[in-house]
Amino acid sequence: MVMTIGAGASLWLARAHADAPHLNEADPAAMAVGYKEDAAEVDKVKYPNFAADQNCANCSLFQGKSTDAWGGCTLFGDKQVAARGWCASYTNM
């Protein structure tokens, strides 16, 4: 019975996570860290620490699988970030 409850809770969390709103670049929290949905659009002058191989999917703050198009981020609560995105809080895994 414990397994059934655990599986049900996991399914519920997965569905809740999938329904989470996407972070908008105009969101004040996103703007504060220079979040872009597409890392190719990062202002490289403003963020000189940005490297072409960095994106949300390979950041330690990303709470999704590397194959997910969107996933949670510890910075943005219940909003999902684009896996191909980037922000100044990027941290290597």
Side-chain angles (χ1 to χ4, degrees), residues 16-24 27 70-72 76-82:
H17 186 68
D19 294 335
H22 294 171
L23 180 65
N24 187 306
D27 183 295
W70 293 84
F76 302 112
D78 67 341
K79 295 180 183 171
Q80 292 190 346
V81 296

Side-chain angles (χ1 to χ4, degrees), residues 16-56:
H17 186 68
D19 294 335
H22 294 171
L23 180 65
N24 187 306
E25 291 179 7
D27 183 295
M31 292 176 66
V33 292
Y35 170 75
K36 292 290 184 185
E37 282 187 22
D38 185 349
E41 297 177 10
V42 172
D43 182 342
K44 292 153 189 76
V45 173
K46 188 172 181 179
Y47 300 102
N49 291 336
F50 169 76
D53 64 339
Q54 296 176 348
N55 59 51
C56 293

